Amino acid sequence: MGKTPHILIGREKIALRIAELAARIKLEYAGKNPLLLCVLKGGFVFMADLVRQLDMPVQMDFMRVSSYGGGMECSGSINVGQGPGIPLQGRDVLIVEDIVDMGFSLSVVRNFLSQMQPASLKLCALLDKPSRRKVPVCIDYLGFTVPDKFVVGYGIDFDEQYRYLPDVCFLEEL
Ligand code: 5GP
Ligand code: MG
C-alpha cells in the first residue's frame, strides 16, 4: 500500500522561519565560535539551510543516533553511533535536530554530549511534536510545532524515502 505526501509546511515558510532562527542565533552567539552539531541523517537539510542563513563563522560536525525497531514508532532504545569528531570540551555546542517527538533521542544525545564538557549545550530543532512527549526536552531554538502526524521531507525520511521532498509533508495511507 502506498502513502501520499501532503504539504504541512511549505518551503517558503521554512526559509522565513530559518531566517528568524538564524538572526537569533547570530545575536546570541556573537563573539563566540559555535560548533553546530547535526544529528544525522534527518537534520542534514535543516543544517545546510541554517548555516547558509547564519552569516557568521561557525564550525560544523555530525553525529549518528540510531533507534532500534523501524517503522513509524521510535522504540525508546537509542544508541549513539558515530559521535562528533571535533573535541567538545570548552566549546559552545548547538545541536541541530530534525524533530523532537517523545524526547528519548534528545535526552540520550544531551547526556552523551554533556559528558564531553562543552562550555554550553543548546538545541535547535526544526520540528516539535509536544503531544507525544515522554521525556522533557528544552528546545532553545524551535522552527515549528507540528500535530501528531508522521512527517517526512526536508531531510526527514520514512524507511529512507521522501528525504528529497523540499517541503515538510505528512503521509497519508492510500
Ligand atoms: P524521539 O526520541 O523524540 O521520540 O524521536 C525523535 C526522532 O524520531 C527524530 O529525530 C526522528 O528521527 C524520529 N521521528 C519522530 N517523529 C517523526 C516523524 O513524524 N517522522 C519521521 N520521519 N521521524 C520521526
Ligand atoms: Mg532526528
Side-chain angles (χ1 to χ4, degrees):
M1 201 153 75
K3 294 176 195 298
T4 313
H6 299 272
I7 295 178
L8 184 63
I9 309 166
R11 62 201 82 174
E12 296 87 2
K13 206 173 160 190
I14 296 172
L16 286 172
R17 185 69 185 131
I18 292 178
E20 292 172 0
L21 293 179
R24 271 183 55 206
I25 292 168
K26 192 181 171 186
L27 206 65
E28 286 166 34
Y29 285 88
K32 297 184 175 170
N33 176 27
L35 176 62
L36 271 61
L37 183 52
C38 175
V39 183
L40 294 171
K41 295 178 191 174
F44 87 101
V45 175
F46 180 38
M47 174 85 148
D49 280 350
L50 181 65
V51 296
R52 285 178 295 173
Q53 294 221 44
L54 263 179
D55 186 33
M56 76 183 284
V58 295
Q59 292 185 333
M60 283 167 258
D61 207 347
F62 302 85
M63 65 183 290
R64 290 294 294 267
V65 176
S66 56
S67 59
Y68 289 104
M72 290 190 169
E73 279 288 318
C74 179
S75 64
S77 166
I78 285 119
N79 266 48
V80 174
Q82 180 201 326
I86 298 175
L88 302 192
Q89 191 169 16
R91 298 299 306 270
D92 291 299
V93 176
L94 180 59
I95 305 164
V96 178
E97 168 72 300
D98 54 359
I99 176 163
V100 181
D101 184 21
M102 288 184 273
F104 294 119
S105 304
L106 248 300
S107 58
V108 169
V109 166
R110 250 187 198 278
N111 288 341
F112 177 83
L113 297 177
S114 55
Q115 285 166 23
M116 298 176 179
Q117 300 175 299
S120 66
L121 186 58
K122 289 193 172 185
L123 169 63
C124 178
L126 178 69
L127 305 173
D128 183 19
K129 220 191 265 183
S131 55
R132 283 170 39 97
R133 193 76 89 253
K134 294 282 196 305
V135 185
V137 174
C138 171
I139 305 177
D140 303 281
Y141 304 95
L142 172 66
F144 303 93
T145 299
V146 291
D148 185 10
K149 288 176 184 293
F150 192 83
V151 300
V152 295
Y154 197 73
I156 304 166
D157 77 312
F158 172 60
D159 282 349
E160 295 302 330
Q161 297 180 79
Y162 307 107
R163 286 193 203 276
Y164 67 94
L165 294 173
D167 312 288
V168 170
C169 302
F170 66 91
L171 286 185
E172 197 170 273
E173 302 264 358
L174 280 178

